[in-house]
Amino acid sequence: MANISTAGVDPTKMGVGRAIAVLTSGGDAQGMNAAVRATVRVGLYTGAKVFFVHEGYQGLVDGGDHIRPATWESVSMMLQLGGTVIGSARCKDFQTREGRLKAASNLVKLGVTNLCVIGGDGSLTGANIFRTEWSDLLKDLISKGKITKEEAKTSSHLNIVGMVGSIDNDFCGTDMTIGTDSALHRIIEVVDSITTTAQSVLLFCFGICSYIVTSALTHSHQRAFILEVMGRHCGYLALVTALACGADWVFIPEMPPDDGWEDHLCRRLTETRKAGSRLNVIIVAEGAINKAGKPITCDQLKDLVTKRLGYDTRATILGHVQRGGTPSAFDRVLGSRMGVEAVMALLEATPETPACVVSLSGNQAVRLPLMECVQVTKDVTVAMNEGRFDDAVKLRGRSFENNWNTYKLLAHVRPPETKSNINVAILNVGAPCAGMNAAVRAAVRIGIIQGHNMLAVHDGFEGLALEKIEPITWNIVGEWTGKGGSELGTKRVLPGKYMEEISLNIAKYNIHALVIIGGFEAFSGALEMVQGRGKYEELCIPMVIIPATVSNNLPGSDFSIGADTALNTITSTCDRIKQSAAGTKRRVFIIETMGGYCGYLATMAGLSAGADAAYIYEEKFGIRDLERNVEHLTEKMKTTVKRGLILRNENCSSNYTTDFIFNLYSEEGKGVFDCRKNVLGHMQQGGTPTPFDRNFATKMGAKAVLWLTEKLKECYRHGRIFANTPDSACVLGMRKRGLVLQPLAELKEETDFEHRIPKNQWWLKLRPIMKILAKYKISLDTSEHTLMEHVISKKPPVHMTLTK
């Protein structure tokens, strides 16, 4: 994240004498409220005045009551609300110079010289025009007697910072726009419901007619579903949905299907049915086109499948349901991080600083020149219009291209006729979590595509020792993407006591490589396997560990599969718990989260649910800290604030237990608020995986097997596989901006084995944001500074890899 203060500057004084206005414009998106809330609260924290602009640019033009001072309390209880509470409107008046003159006059009269705009490319382009005209607008206002020269002098320059709020994720320069993840949640909910409906119909038919051979099933039970999702001329939602649900086909505007696609589609659907698939799913972006530029619609596809194949086909157009609902945890955290970054960018800007957009690249907040991003976004449209579809995919950015490459790897490919004679075994280790099955599915299918024989190991390392090993095929994993838990079975048992049996079975089944998917036990177990290479030569095979645990406590990766699903479970539960007290007196909730000694879930849930405090092991606290927290919350409760939320990581302290904290707050809050406590428990490990976890797991599974394939070529010596170098056993993880592989030996030095956490954890730098948003007057980290980057020079090279 950005530094919150410049050297020698008190961050609580950075905004003194300055004013910031925040508006939302264009189509609304879930998570905008989180961005507005963070902008207001961090602006006030810096000492600046902050104003709401209601109804977008229309409010800026109309002025008056549309531009109102924002207070700390005015943004309370906003995080869980969809849409934008300050309103959004498309404004024709602002497109005229006369309208912009009125808007400039309204801002000057209030002393506002910093404007934060949350919207899409059109809204941000309008803001940049406003900024470039600012000096001329002031001259016109002076000549018309609307403002004085003194007023013009104090408002001589307008700073603009944008945050991209759009469910379409169509703005180049950012990996994810605010609202995209929430829209994917709505879409996947529908896809899961549709899939369940279709399967239950088919299962019922199989149950009733079990005496009839499968081939005699009537075509009326051959179900196909066609789902149209939003996105205008961007296929991101459709593409990620296809990856997240294992769709049979996806149509996106950036990459129209080849001529003759109708035959190819029908052949594909027929093949999947013959292979035993119970239903077909086709995802269509609303802007999907063919090579000639003509639309491909739901109805057109329905007619094609019905007439040619005779399948019972259902078409669903989701529409604006994708904009609705509560924002996901990801969008709340993203909006909050971007809001902080936006305020800092405004207060650090000089007259020479170009208008910028705060953005997300991988896991890092970045600042990009607004008009460069707008230009690249327009370049995508030009490329599509000119039929340069490969360029269009590249211009969409690294994230989009990686998704497309992964989809291409997993779809429309027939396994090669010549086998590699390589056997790759896959096992799950540790506690189960949502997304494990998606990683297994991707690994199995990529392995089969590479010509390998894939083996499933049930019950982790114990299963590897006890010969719970069997072949796993393409069709077995077909519907695993959306399943929670672990279909392979998983145990926490480490391999140490079974090393001889494991080495014998590796030799017996001729296993050439291992994919180990799991939590800290997977990491520790793999280290034991590597250490055992000196004694057991059979263990000298390439191994890759894919982090999968709700605790997100593995070294080598910023994120673990399953953590996003757990975070959303905690966040939605906190929303419900807080709502349960609606209409009652002031109440504080003490909630215990999982995570072992890792405070990731407590901290990120604190950000996404708007907690007043989150107690974690990594940040030591004592009775004085608890006392200050109670006093702080008591003072807040004396205002209009009626809800308090305290999160506690399960192992944050052996003495300050959940009961202790509950009793302390109950006693000290007497007469002001009462308390309730909840221990969330194993519900955090359950449920179907979120779109993020499905997509992340799919890419991780695919990347792991591709890396193993290359590593096996390196390790092939004298007619056999021999791998004993440090880089032959790696953790695959996301670090800042991409997927990276790091040797276990290196990561061992970065690990606190006693507490099962990495020694350095990136998310700790977000904790001050949570505290400031809870109205604590603290300093923020000044060690990192987010510099302006460039998009034009960052255009991806012609050949991209899956790692980036």
Side-chain angles (χ1 to χ4, degrees):
M1 59 171 259
N3 78 318
I4 300 295
S5 67
T6 310
V9 177
D10 181 352
T12 62
K13 301 287 191 294
M14 285 179 71
V16 172
R18 304 176 73 174
I20 299 169
V22 57
L23 66 85
T24 54
S25 176
D28 62 321
Q30 309 96 317
M32 279 184 167
N33 289 325
V36 169
R37 172 179 176 268
T39 304
V40 168
R41 291 192 167 177
V42 176
L44 294 172
Y45 162 84
T46 64
K49 289 181 180 178
V50 184
F51 292 89
F52 289 134
V53 180
H54 291 268
E55 308 308 329
Y57 284 121
Q58 192 64 55
L60 205 61
V61 173
D62 295 343
D65 285 343
H66 286 93
I67 307 176
R68 302 177 208 162
T71 64
W72 197 274
E73 290 78 18
S74 64
V75 291
S76 291
M77 299 301 288
M78 282 176 61
L79 272 173
Q80 76 276 19
L81 300 177
T84 163
V85 297
I86 59 173
S88 177
R90 302 188 190 277
C91 176
K92 290 186 177 179
D93 291 343
F94 192 76
Q95 294 173 15
T96 66
R97 184 175 174 81
E98 188 60 36
R100 292 193 290 275
L101 267 174
K102 291 179 183 177
S105 176
N106 291 328
L107 290 182
V108 170
K109 291 295 182 183
L110 292 169
V112 175
T113 55
N114 300 281
L115 185 60
C116 178
V117 178
I118 307 168
D121 57 343
S123 303
L124 299 180
T125 302
N128 191 65
I129 293 170
F130 192 38
R131 177 182 178 274
T132 54
E133 288 182 351
W134 185 256
S135 296
D136 291 336
L137 293 173
L138 294 189
K139 289 175 185 176
D140 285 4
L141 290 170
I142 293 170
S143 66
K144 292 180 179 181
K146 301 284 186 181
I147 63 172
T148 65
K149 288 184 178 179
E150 288 72 24
E151 287 174 324
K153 188 176 180 181
T154 56
S155 303
S156 60
H157 179 71
L158 179 68
N159 295 318
I160 295 282
V161 169
M163 285 183 269
V164 190
S166 166
I167 68 166
D168 302 332
N169 203 29
D170 59 351
F171 193 81
C172 294
T174 181
D175 285 350
M176 286 286 273
T177 57
I178 296 168
T180 304
D181 188 65
S182 300
L184 285 168
H185 274 252
R186 301 296 90 78
I187 296 167
I188 292 301
E189 286 165 10
V190 172
V191 172
D192 284 351
S193 298
I194 285 173
T195 304
T196 306
T197 300
Q199 286 172 348
S200 63
V201 168
L202 288 163
L203 286 168
F204 178 75
C205 293
F206 279 118
I208 296 293
C209 307
S210 57
Y211 59 91
I212 304 176
V213 292
T214 304
S215 60
L217 278 171
T218 62
H219 282 312
S220 63
H221 298 135
Q222 302 288 316
R223 281 264 171 107
F225 284 93
I226 302 164
L227 189 72
E228 182 185 294
V229 301
M230 294 176 79
R232 292 193 302 174
H233 302 296
C234 177
Y236 184 88
L237 289 178
L239 181 54
V240 175
T241 299
L243 275 175
C245 73
D248 295 283
W249 201 289
V250 65
F251 292 92
I252 60 172
E254 292 86 351
M255 189 58 72
D258 293 329
D259 292 338
W261 61 267
E262 296 91 343
D263 296 332
H264 189 179
L265 172 62
C266 290
R267 186 170 63 251
R268 170 82 173 161
L269 299 185
T270 304
E271 286 173 356
T272 57
R273 285 296 167 86
K274 285 179 180 177
S277 177
R278 291 175 175 163
L279 78 158
N280 297 114
V281 177
I282 300 168
I283 307 296
V284 193
E286 64 179 345
I289 53 174
N290 61 21
K291 290 280 188 185
K294 294 184 177 178
I296 295 174
T297 66
C298 258
D299 289 339
Q300 180 184 344
L301 291 168
K302 181 181 177 181
D303 289 343
L304 174 70
V305 175
T306 304
K307 289 175 182 176
R308 285 216 196 172
L309 302 177
Y311 293 169
D312 182 12
T313 307
R314 300 283 189 270
T316 304
I317 299 175
L318 279 189
H320 279 70
V321 71
Q322 293 158 90
R323 289 193 190 277
T326 59
S328 66
F330 182 96
D331 274 329
R332 299 187 200 194
V333 174
L334 176 62
S336 299
R337 290 179 69 183
M338 296 302 100
V340 174
E341 192 65 49
V343 172
M344 292 305 115
L346 285 170
L347 297 182
E348 292 169 5
T350 66
E352 291 73 39
T353 307
C356 80
V357 58
V358 293
S359 173
L360 191 71
S361 178
N363 188 32
Q364 283 200 299
V366 294
R367 300 178 191 175
L368 304 169
L370 192 156
M371 291 317 293
E372 283 189 21
C373 295
V374 170
Q375 183 56 53
V376 177
T377 303
K378 289 178 178 176
D379 289 346
V380 176
T381 305
V382 172
M384 288 195 291
N385 290 339
E386 293 177 355
R388 294 183 289 109
F389 298 111
D390 286 332
D391 289 343
V393 169
K394 287 183 174 62
L395 288 164
R396 280 285 182 221
R398 182 174 53 225
S399 173
F400 189 97
E401 187 173 21
N402 287 345
N403 285 323
W404 176 246
N405 287 339
T406 306
Y407 173 77
K408 283 195 300 182
L409 281 170
L410 289 167
H412 313 318
V413 179
R414 293 179 180 176
E417 291 181 8
T418 54
K419 297 287 186 180
S420 65
N421 294 320
I422 293 293
N423 298 320
V424 179
I426 303 176
L427 60 156
N428 292 342
V429 178
C433 68
M436 275 184 164
N437 296 321
V440 172
R441 175 185 179 272
V444 167
R445 291 198 164 183
I446 291 294
I448 291 169
I449 289 165
Q450 297 293 313
H452 307 328
N453 299 310
M454 304 304 291
L455 300 173
V457 180
H458 298 279
D459 297 335
F461 289 118
E462 185 179 279
L464 192 57
L466 302 179
E467 281 194 71
K468 295 182 180 179
I469 305 166
E470 63 180 0
I472 188 165
T473 63
W474 184 279
N475 292 327
I476 287 174
V477 296
E479 295 167 4
W480 282 21
T481 309
K483 290 186 176 181
S486 167
E487 292 290 302
L488 291 183
T490 179
K491 289 192 176 180
R492 296 178 182 271
V493 178
L494 294 177
K497 63 179 180 179
Y498 290 118
M499 208 62 81
E500 185 156 345
E501 292 89 339
I502 287 173
S503 62
L504 288 171
N505 285 331
I506 286 175
K508 180 177 179 179
Y509 287 87
N510 200 21
I511 295 170
H512 301 105
L514 284 176
V515 178
I516 306 169
I517 302 167
F520 203 85
E521 290 86 357
F523 177 70
S524 301
L527 274 172
E528 289 183 6
M529 299 271 281
V530 170
Q531 288 161 3
R533 283 174 169 177
K535 187 175 180 181
Y536 302 101
E537 196 174 287
E538 293 85 357
L539 302 181
C540 294
I541 57 174
M543 305 175 198
V544 61
I545 292 84
I546 299 177
T549 167
V550 300
S551 302
N552 196 33
N553 63 334
L554 260 71
S557 188
D558 292 348
F559 295 107
S560 294
I561 295 164
D564 185 69
T565 303
L567 180 57
N568 276 279
T569 300
I570 297 168
T571 302
S572 61
T573 305
C574 287
D575 288 347
R576 291 182 181 188
I577 287 172
K578 286 200 291 185
Q579 191 182 42
S580 72
T584 65
K585 61 181 181 178
R586 288 173 170 78
R587 183 163 289 170
V588 173
F589 295 96
I590 317 293
I591 297 176
E592 182 185 297
T593 67
M594 294 177 76
Y597 285 96
C598 179
Y600 174 83
L601 287 179
T603 297
M604 301 307 275
L607 262 176
S608 61
D612 296 279
Y615 300 116
I616 62 170
Y617 168 78
E618 293 92 342
E619 193 173 276
K620 302 302 180 189
F621 62 96
I623 194 66
R624 295 284 172 265
D625 300 298
L626 290 169
E627 187 180 11
R628 279 191 292 270
N629 293 154
V630 173
E631 289 171 355
H632 181 265
L633 191 53
T634 303
E635 289 304 309
K636 279 174 71 174
M637 285 293 190
K638 290 177 182 176
T639 66
T640 57
V641 175
K642 293 185 177 182
R643 303 283 172 274
L645 180 65
I646 306 296
L647 297 177
R648 179 190 177 275
N649 164 259
E650 61 183 348
N651 287 343
C652 66
S653 169
S654 57
N655 295 314
Y656 300 126
T657 62
T658 302
D659 286 338
F660 178 93
I661 292 173
F662 168 71
N663 291 333
L664 177 68
Y665 275 81
S666 297
E667 183 64 29
E668 297 300 319
K670 275 183 179 175
V672 181
F673 57 80
D674 62 3
C675 290
R676 297 287 187 274
K677 67 176 177 181
N678 294 81
V679 177
L680 299 187
H682 281 74
M683 66 181 291
Q684 296 160 85
Q685 284 185 334
T688 57
T690 58
F692 179 93
D693 274 333
R694 298 183 197 200
N695 188 22
F696 185 45
T698 298
K699 285 194 278 194
M700 293 278 272
K703 174 63 183 173
V705 174
L706 290 174
W707 176 79
L708 282 176
T709 302
E710 293 304 310
K711 186 58 64 176
L712 284 163
K713 292 175 185 175
E714 291 177 24
C715 300
Y716 188 75
R717 299 172 195 164
H718 310 299
R720 69 188 188 98
I721 304 295
F722 186 80
N724 66 346
T725 57
D727 67 350
S728 64
C730 289
V731 171
L732 172 62
M734 173 179 267
R735 277 284 173 95
K736 293 186 177 178
R737 298 196 182 188
L739 298 182
V740 294
L741 286 134
Q742 291 179 268
L744 288 169
E746 289 179 13
L747 294 174
K748 186 178 178 182
E749 303 305 315
E750 300 177 17
T751 308
D752 173 356
F753 283 93
E754 181 185 354
H755 298 102
R756 297 158 55 98
I757 54 174
K759 291 177 181 176
N760 297 300
Q761 300 183 85
W762 67 273
W763 51 265
L764 287 169
K765 291 183 178 178
L766 300 184
R767 283 185 63 79
I769 295 178
M770 184 191 71
K771 293 177 183 178
I772 283 171
L773 294 177
K775 211 175 182 178
Y776 284 92
K777 290 287 183 182
I778 62 161
S779 283
L780 290 185
D781 180 20
T782 62
S783 63
E784 291 187 14
H785 190 83
T786 303
L787 300 172
M788 186 84 80
E789 299 186 8
H790 291 278
V791 184
I792 302 297
S793 60
K794 276 175 59 181
K795 282 184 188 177
V798 175
H799 299 291
M800 291 289 289
T801 65
L802 197 67
T803 39
K804 301 297 182 184

